[in-house]
Amino acid sequence: MAQLENLLLVLARSLVDEPEKVEVSGTESDSRVELELRVAPDDMGRVIGRQGRTIRAIRTVVKAASVKAGKRVTVEVPD
């Protein structure tokens, strides 16, 4: 799970203006990993993107990386 968290952290930090405020937390069960991405309020739009395209792309990359671990991954961005 740490690899997936680090991947999400690197992706998000490369997009935002305040990379020091990016936080990733996660929980893991037998076959599932749930990751939560928190960014500064001003960077929320950058992470989500137009019509959610950026967050969709981030989710796709993280899910592709999770195949190696044999886990299902969800990435949430709380308000």
Side-chain angles (χ1 to χ4, degrees):
M1 182 172 86
Q3 290 176 335
L4 297 174
E5 286 181 359
N6 287 337
L7 174 62
L8 183 56
L9 197 62
V10 168
L11 290 172
R13 283 185 176 167
S14 67
L15 295 171
V16 298
D17 287 333
E18 298 179 58
E20 67 280 353
K21 291 191 177 180
V22 174
E23 295 177 10
V24 176
S25 59
T27 58
E28 182 175 9
S29 65
D30 292 337
S31 63
R32 184 164 208 84
V33 176
E34 295 182 20
L35 298 174
E36 190 173 276
L37 174 64
R38 294 186 182 274
V39 297
D42 293 341
D43 289 328
M44 190 67 76
R46 289 180 175 271
V47 171
I48 294 173
R50 287 195 176 163
Q51 298 179 350
R53 288 186 184 139
T54 305
I55 192 63
R56 197 174 320 125
I58 291 171
R59 287 177 175 143
T60 301
V61 171
V62 174
K63 283 180 184 181
S66 73
V67 171
K68 186 176 180 182
K71 303 266 185 177
R72 295 197 61 144
V73 173
T74 57
V75 176
E76 296 297 324
V77 183
D79 294 344

